[in-house]
Amino acid sequence: MTHTSEDENNAIGDVQFRSLIDRAHDGLFLIDPETGQIEGVNQTVCDWLGYSKDEVLDMTIFDCQTTFSEPDGWQTFVRRVRDENGVQLENEITTRTGSMLPVEGSISVVSVDGSDYVVAIPRQISNRK
């Protein structure tokens, strides 16, 4: 089906879209590429981590995973993601209880309205480990 107007292209509203993203099986992180600050997350990630959405939004990427523990390594990784136009990565997410949740993810850098975001979409792989 071909849509002709911008309104028709946005057949689902922002609230409905957000609800669908929150209920997705995979996680979603939006991360500041400079600081590692988590700027957006879906409910799936919050459930995995055991934190509220507000608590996760107060975190940096260094607080909840094992691959990046300091800003220099993060910056090197973001450059690689930009250079390769996205990467796949295995990692472990640290939950509130301290347990480790193995994930694999697709990571890219996306620009929206002049701002860049690292978009990470992790999927649990604990059943494979």
Side-chain angles (χ1 to χ4, degrees), residues 1-121:
M1 172 174 19
T2 303
H3 295 286
T4 56
S5 76
E6 191 171 321
D7 289 336
E8 288 176 333
N9 285 334
N10 193 11
I12 184 168
D14 291 341
V15 171
Q16 292 91 348
F17 184 76
R18 179 63 201 206
S19 180
L20 291 167
I21 294 299
D22 274 338
R23 295 176 187 173
H25 180 72
D26 294 338
L28 174 70
F29 286 95
L30 301 176
I31 308 162
D32 183 294
E34 300 302 318
T35 66
Q37 180 67 45
I38 298 171
E39 298 197 0
V41 66
N42 71 348
Q43 187 59 46
T44 301
V45 167
C46 298
D47 293 344
W48 291 348
L49 294 174
Y51 292 102
S52 72
K53 195 168 283 191
D54 287 340
E55 289 173 312
V56 175
L57 294 176
D58 283 339
M59 299 169 81
T60 68
I61 196 63
F62 314 113
D63 298 324
C64 62
Q65 52 71 57
T66 60
T67 298
F68 308 104
S69 59
E70 44 83 25
D72 289 341
W74 173 248
Q75 289 301 313
T76 300
F77 177 71
V78 170
R79 279 192 296 279
R80 177 179 158 218
V81 172
R82 288 181 197 276
D83 291 346
E84 296 179 19
N85 200 26
V87 299
Q88 300 290 317
L89 174 74
E90 285 195 16
N91 200 349
E92 289 183 317
I93 294 176
T94 308
T95 70
R96 179 186 285 273
T97 64
S99 63
M100 305 306 273
L101 180 66
V103 296
E104 65 182 5
S106 170
I107 296 95
S108 57
V109 176
V110 177
S111 294
V112 176
D113 296 331
S115 296
D116 288 349
Y117 299 90
V118 173
V119 177
I121 303 173

